[in-house]
Amino acid sequence: MPTLLKIARMGHPVLRVKAEPIADPTAPDVARLARDMIATMDDADGVGLAAPQIHVSQRIIVFKAPVRGPDMSRDGDVDNRVLINPEIEPLSPDRASAFEGCLSIPGLRGVVPRFTRIRYSGVGLDGRRISVEAEGFHARVLQHEVDHLDGVLYLDRMENLALLSFEKELPLLMGAIDSDRA
Ligand code: NI
């Protein structure tokens, strides 16, 4: 049975230190950690979770990735993935801004610019190299989670703190943004 882990909230120092590489991705305790992280992410309705967020300063993330069949017909489905010692390389200098939230900063959402196309690489629980090209929301989730491994929170990436909002007030903020554009 997976164990639900306590999520560290902003202000806890574990969220602000650079996490350590994992020496043996195939070790049973790493598989156990990944299983518990996925259960914790699902329980909290998250789309990604990095180990520092459950007070473990090691370079492992879990996330939900879109499942794409050959005909793209299953694009709506998601799959739980585990990535150990991940790295991210932008494939284009283009960035896009969108709202993000974080399980370590509950109740808030903020607009964050992120690279639109990346390649992420790392190692899976079976010890094999993983290398994937991602774009859009999938690329955004990966950049957010890998930032956690370097002690970076999405607030640090925001360029306009007027675009930070409590979830409940978000419709008001969105309305204000829309009327600005009108
Ligand atoms: Ni987060």
Side-chain angles (χ1 to χ4, degrees):
M1 277 288 286
T3 304
L4 294 180
L5 306 166
K6 187 176 178 198
I7 296 177
R9 302 208 299 176
M10 182 169 61
H12 194 295
V14 72
L15 293 173
R16 289 307 198 173
V17 296
K18 198 170 163 69
E20 294 291 325
I22 290 181
D24 180 6
T26 63
D29 59 330
V30 176
R32 209 154 32 232
L33 176 65
R35 182 199 63 187
D36 292 346
M37 286 175 65
I38 287 170
T40 303
M41 170 178 69
D42 286 344
D43 180 67
D45 284 329
V47 291
L49 189 70
Q53 292 185 276
I54 43 92
H55 307 85
V56 173
S57 195
Q58 296 190 14
R59 302 187 79 79
I60 175 171
I61 63 172
V62 299
F63 55 96
K64 295 187 180 300
V67 175
R68 292 209 173 94
D71 60 355
M72 308 293 276
S73 63
R74 292 175 61 78
D75 202 359
D77 292 353
V78 291
D79 179 23
N80 286 321
R81 305 268 176 89
V82 178
L83 193 62
I84 296 160
N85 301 334
E87 282 173 35
I88 284 179
E89 170 199 352
L91 294 177
S92 147
D94 294 345
R95 298 193 304 164
S97 290
F99 276 99
E100 291 184 17
C102 180
L103 295 177
S104 295
I105 312 172
L108 292 176
R109 291 275 189 275
V111 171
V112 188
R114 300 284 187 187
F115 291 111
T116 54
R117 287 185 58 235
I118 62 167
R119 175 188 302 282
Y120 63 86
S121 54
V123 181
L125 290 171
D126 57 4
R128 283 195 208 162
R129 291 289 307 171
I130 293 168
S131 176
V132 176
E133 283 186 24
E135 57 184 27
F137 183 71
H138 186 193
R140 176 172 295 276
V141 170
L142 267 291
Q143 289 169 85
H144 178 118
E145 299 311 330
V146 172
D147 265 357
H148 275 301
L149 304 182
D150 294 323
V152 174
L153 299 175
Y154 79 78
L155 293 173
D156 307 335
R157 301 279 190 197
M158 288 185 67
E159 293 174 345
N160 180 0
L161 287 174
L163 298 178
L164 181 66
S165 175
F166 285 102
E167 279 163 4
K168 201 176 163 201
E169 279 71 19
L170 203 53
L172 297 172
L173 177 60
M174 304 279 271
I177 294 171
D178 283 348
S179 59
D180 276 356
R181 281 182 189 152

